[in-house]
Amino acid sequence: SPAYTVLWASGSVWLESLTAGTRYARALRIGLCFLIIFVLIALMPLAVPLLPVEKFIPYSRALGFEPSSNEGKEVSALPQFYADMFGWKEKAASVAAVYNALPEADREKCAIFGNNYGRCGAIDYYGKAYGLPKAIGNHNNYWVWGPRHYTGEVVIIMGGSYEDHVESFETVELAAVSGCDYCMPYEDDMKIFLCRGLKARLSDVWSTEKHYD
């Protein structure tokens, strides 16, 4: 993206030399500038979320653009840059319903674990309103910050499957499913598991849980 500043300057010099000596050089240059500005404004909603979803979807289709993912992931009605803005409030609310239903003794030692930084960030940001503790996670910097004081006695896990967790915990319960409109497909219908009795100390297994991308 920073290279565009050089390209615009180079293109301006090329345009000026191309139109030099023509009878209507000034008018032609001004007209081309307005055309470029018009095209940029027309395409801007495809790069910046200027339009609400209800208007963006038909607008992008009218221009012939299909939703895309810069990470090569499955998309639905929205491109990834826009879809990634949805679903986080719903996740925090769903986790809060599970967490706040626990006995007080369990809440004091309950960790909330997310397998990507978006889910952890949703808990840290939106969870404050529900009285949730900060999340822990194995993705990128969340792994660096470690498991904090948690031991694995009680863990709410966002994501994964029953089969993923049952080998590591004494009991695993599917406590909730968090859905969302317009979010990325892999963030929709996220399973929330209530797990008890990690078969090893959380601090001991943390080094094996690192997930960087």
Side-chain angles (χ1 to χ4, degrees), residues 43-97:
L43 296 179
M44 193 176 294
L46 302 177
V48 182
L50 298 175
L51 298 176
V53 173
E54 296 78 10
K55 294 182 178 179
F56 174 84
I57 294 174
Y59 183 82
S60 62
R61 287 175 179 169
L63 293 180
F65 287 91
E66 295 295 328
S68 62
S69 165
N70 58 351
E71 297 176 0
K73 298 187 180 200
E74 178 188 357
V75 293
S76 54
L78 293 176
Q80 184 172 1
F81 87 91
Y82 206 168
D84 271 341
M85 300 179 185
F86 293 90
W88 311 116
K89 292 181 181 179
E90 293 86 347
K91 286 177 174 56
S94 298
V95 169

Side-chain angles (χ1 to χ4, degrees), residues 85-133:
M85 300 179 185
F86 293 90
W88 311 116
K89 292 181 181 179
E90 293 86 347
K91 286 177 174 56
S94 298
V95 169
V98 177
Y99 179 85
N100 290 320
L102 294 173
E104 183 177 353
D106 283 350
R107 290 200 302 270
E108 291 177 356
K109 55 190 176 184
C110 180
I112 300 174
F113 179 92
N115 58 10
N116 70 43
Y117 68 81
R119 294 170 181 178
C120 293
I123 299 303
D124 289 353
Y125 187 81
Y126 293 109
K128 297 175 185 177
Y130 299 102
L132 297 180

Side-chain angles (χ1 to χ4, degrees), residues 8 30-45 59 63:
W8 280 115
I30 293 174
L32 286 172
C33 287
F34 274 107
L35 176 62
I36 292 170
I37 292 171
F38 173 80
V39 171
L40 289 176
I41 291 175
L43 296 179
M44 193 176 294
Y59 183 82
L63 293 180

Side-chain angles (χ1 to χ4, degrees), residues 71-211:
E71 297 176 0
K73 298 187 180 200
E74 178 188 357
V75 293
S76 54
L78 293 176
Q80 184 172 1
F81 87 91
Y82 206 168
D84 271 341
M85 300 179 185
F86 293 90
W88 311 116
K89 292 181 181 179
E90 293 86 347
K91 286 177 174 56
S94 298
V95 169
V98 177
Y99 179 85
N100 290 320
L102 294 173
E104 183 177 353
D106 283 350
R107 290 200 302 270
E108 291 177 356
K109 55 190 176 184
C110 180
I112 300 174
F113 179 92
N115 58 10
N116 70 43
Y117 68 81
R119 294 170 181 178
C120 293
I123 299 303
D124 289 353
Y125 187 81
Y126 293 109
K128 297 175 185 177
Y130 299 102
L132 297 180
K134 285 187 174 294
I136 62 173
N138 63 339
H139 191 203
N140 293 353
N141 256 41
Y142 274 92
W143 179 84
V144 176
W145 297 328
R148 301 193 177 97
H149 63 281
Y150 296 109
T151 63
E153 293 178 71
V154 184
V155 184
I156 294 174
I157 299 180
M158 297 179 283
S161 65
Y162 178 86
E163 291 75 19
D164 292 335
H165 312 313
V166 71
E167 293 183 2
S168 302
F169 290 88
E170 297 292 343
T171 65
V172 177
E173 172 192 350
L174 177 59
V177 177
S178 181
C180 49
D181 296 328
Y182 302 121
C183 61
M184 288 291 285
Y186 69 86
E187 290 293 354
D188 193 15
D189 294 331
M190 182 196 75
K191 294 180 173 61
I192 301 171
F193 295 92
L194 177 60
C195 304
R196 298 178 185 271
L198 183 65
K199 296 176 183 178
R201 286 186 62 84
L202 187 55
S203 57
D204 293 338
V205 301
W206 196 256
S207 61
T208 66
E209 295 298 310
K210 181 167 63 173
H211 171 207

